[in-house]
Amino acid sequence: MQLKQISPYCYEIPQSGSMNVPGRVFMSERMASALSEEEALKQVANVATLPGILTAAMAMPDMHWGYGFPIGGVAAFDWDTGVISPGGVGYDINCGVRLAGTGLEKKEILPAVERLVTALFQNIPSGVGSTGSVKLSVKEEMRVLREGGRWAVRQGLGEPSDVERTEDGGCMAEADPSVISERALMRGTRQLGTLGSGNHFLEVGVVDEIFDERAARAFGLFPDQVTVLLHSGSRGLGYQVCDDSLAFMARHVRTLDIQLPDRQLACAMIRSEAGRRYFAAMACAANYAWANRQILLHRARETFQQVLGIGPRDLAMHQVYDICHNIAKREEHTVDGKKRIVCVHRKGATRAFPPGHPAVCEAYRQTGQPILIPGDMGTASYVMAGTRTAMAQSFGSTCHGAGRVLSRKAAKKRSRGRAIHRELADKGILVKWTGRSTLAEEMPEAYKDIDQVVDAVHGAGLSKKVARLRPVCVIKG
Ligand SMILES: Nc1nc2c(ncn2[C@@H]2O[C@H](COP(=O)(O)O)[C@@H](O)[C@H]2O)c(=O)[nH]1
Ligand SMILES: [Mn+2]
Ligand SMILES: [Mn+2]
């Protein structure tokens, strides 16, 4: 696919054929010269054909092939004339990342790291189909779907400041549990407080470098500080909501006057009953994911206290932020100088709202929202902050991770004959895992170079670097 560089960190797929807008890929010249993402680029061009799309179909430097829409993709649709598509959100609805800082320095946990990782692995259920410490009746589950993170805090599984420091306060008000299938509800009753498999993780790390002192201070981060970074989503419930919605949308879209270049782009007009139902179901799954990550953080707090023999005051594990990277949101944006209500799809992309934005909680009004970018289990992860440039260029969005560079199959092949856990241990990183092929599929080389991805979004101005975290120990599903 022909790409035209339009600014130092932005490349355009020119509008042609049935595209309603151009495609735009944010990356560095170095990444562009080594780009081998033909399929993902084709998907960007496909998304550009959808009705009501505004400005451009976009992709971040962590992009790779996904179901219908690329992972690392951002697409905003006019609320009145545009569509909403489950493929633009992904199967793991509100898959996201939560970061907590502690009052501890690295040297204070080093003698206990082995015990800490063992206890975290015992206390936090992980793996495909794992069930959790919280069992819900369907009636109680309905409350979770309506209330999100707030439900967990009401059960004593967290602190009010956790939800204040969560995107959307950990709850999408549009949730309507009456649209959720019986099967999705059943899958949700036993999985709250579980990590999931493969790419999902809980990682104890340390602040390795600070790039922006003022923002780091506002986020409660300092050099050598012990942190907890966790990545999980809406588990079987979210998967089932997506599956149900795709089956419905595949039939529904045939009743509309829309020509799709790919069946995986099945969608509904946002302002239709079908669109409303998907949005309401998606919001339920998003709320489930926030309750899930809230409980995971609570279990991490309990485990640290147990292993280190300290109380909550000495641990001082405070939430920095929680963000989603698989979601569709109703937001106001300025498009061609005019305020518009739009439906922003972020699939493997993160919100990056700037200083002063009313949706950013009080604590971060001066800095912009924190953005949490995990890299891989052997390298680094980043904390960034939202910018005005992101509002102007990418509907307030930035990247979500390093992004895969090897398929799971290719990673397994590359790891043959190697002991990934020993390679990590040689770097001082302890890892515990559940799945038989998890470590092979998730080895650091399976992901792009996180430094390059972050430097690209920083260079493009879509978010700015605040701090880098290095892993100390990791539990993986
Ligand atoms: N710090 C860690 N980062 C990791 C690990 N496993 C994956 N990752 C990164 O997270 C994102 C999540 O993206 P998703 O599309 O899979 O949800 C991924 O792109 C990696 O960069 C880990 O163990 N530790
Ligand atoms: Mn996920
Ligand atoms: Mn994810």
Side-chain angles (χ1 to χ4, degrees), residues 450-463:
I450 187 62
D451 295 332
Q452 279 195 40
V453 171
V454 163
D455 284 346
V457 288
H458 181 90
L462 302 185
S463 41

Side-chain angles (χ1 to χ4, degrees), residues 18-23 43-50 53 56-57:
S18 51
M19 290 165 75
N20 292 316
V21 290
Q43 290 188 315
V44 174
N46 287 346
V47 172
T49 68
L50 291 173
I53 188 160

Side-chain angles (χ1 to χ4, degrees), residues 155-462:
Q155 307 300 310
L157 302 166
E159 296 165 11
S161 65
D162 299 343
V163 287
E164 279 157 28
R165 292 170 186 228
T166 295
E167 185 169 329
D168 287 341
C171 179
M172 282 184 82
E174 296 89 346
D176 174 3
S178 74
V179 302
I180 301 285
S181 72
E182 194 101 328
R183 183 157 162 69
L185 284 173
M186 285 327 293
R187 292 185 74 169
T189 54
R190 298 293 305 275
Q191 289 198 321
L192 213 49
T194 64
L195 199 57
S197 57
N199 52 342
H200 302 119
F201 65 86
L202 185 145
E203 189 168 286
V204 179
V206 288
V207 176
D208 170 61
E209 188 168 353
I210 303 262
F211 304 97
D212 182 330
E213 296 228 356
R214 192 176 76 101
R217 212 173 309 117
F219 295 174
L221 297 172
F222 57 86
D224 256 356
Q225 178 186 24
V226 174
T227 56
V228 172
L229 184 70
L230 62 91
H231 172 224
S232 187
S234 48
R235 311 288 290 110
L237 178 135
Y239 186 96
Q240 195 60 47
V241 166
C242 180
D243 218 36
D244 294 341
S245 307
L246 283 169
F248 171 79
M249 293 277 190
R251 294 189 302 273
H252 171 79
V253 79
R254 283 192 231 123
T255 68
L256 307 178
D257 188 22
I258 302 178
Q259 300 302 317
L260 294 178
D262 177 355
R263 280 189 306 186
Q264 295 183 355
L265 297 175
C267 54
M269 301 307 292
I270 301 164
R271 276 205 189 272
S272 68
E273 183 52 16
R276 185 201 73 81
R277 284 177 78 87
Y278 171 66
F279 197 57
M282 183 212 71
C284 288
N287 291 348
Y288 188 93
W290 273 313
N292 188 38
R293 291 198 289 274
Q294 182 59 51
I295 296 169
L296 294 174
L297 176 66
H298 182 74
R299 297 284 174 249
R301 279 190 176 120
E302 286 178 338
T303 306
F304 265 73
Q305 288 172 37
Q306 200 185 82
V307 171
L308 301 176
I310 56 175
R313 257 168 205 260
D314 288 332
L315 176 60
M317 194 183 280
H318 61 92
Q319 179 154 319
V320 176
Y321 210 53
D322 177 299
I323 43 145
C324 17
H325 55 229
N326 279 6
I327 199 85
K329 293 274 192 75
R330 185 181 197 274
E331 291 171 5
E332 185 180 273
H333 287 273
T334 302
V335 183
D336 299 331
K338 278 202 201 113
K339 288 213 163 108
R340 302 271 281 267
I341 301 296
V342 307
C343 180
V344 186
H345 293 59
R346 297 190 182 95
K347 177 186 183 181
T350 304
R351 200 182 75 175
F353 281 180
H357 194 289
V360 176
C361 62
E362 204 57 49
Y364 305 132
R365 281 282 163 83
Q366 306 292 317
T367 54
Q369 71 162 89
I371 299 158
L372 313 171
I373 313 290
D376 63 69
M377 60 182 165
T379 316
S381 298
Y382 281 83
V383 182
M384 304 188 84
T387 63
R388 293 192 177 90
T389 305
M391 289 310 277
Q393 300 273 320
S394 58
F395 293 95
S397 314
T398 189
C399 66
H400 85 305
R404 287 196 85 85
V405 68
L406 294 180
S407 68
R408 291 193 159 84
K409 194 169 157 205
K412 275 206 280 207
K413 198 166 161 203
R414 179 84 64 91
S415 73
R416 233 170 260 156
R418 290 167 55 181
I420 303 297
H421 66 288
R422 259 186 247 124
E423 291 179 17
L424 290 167
D426 289 345
K427 293 208 255 171
I429 303 162
L430 296 186
V431 58
K432 298 258 179 209
W433 67 101
T434 304
R436 211 154 42 100
S437 45
T438 294
L439 281 203
E441 292 174 356
E442 291 292 312
M443 64 177 177
E445 292 136 88
Y447 289 101
K448 295 184 189 179
D449 178 338
I450 187 62
D451 295 332
Q452 279 195 40
V453 171
V454 163
D455 284 346
V457 288
H458 181 90
L462 302 185

Side-chain angles (χ1 to χ4, degrees), residues 14-33:
Q15 189 178 338
S16 67
S18 51
M19 290 165 75
N20 292 316
V21 290
R24 243 169 237 171
V25 184
F26 294 93
M27 61 186 160
S28 61
E29 282 179 10
R30 185 172 167 197
M31 294 182 94
S33 65

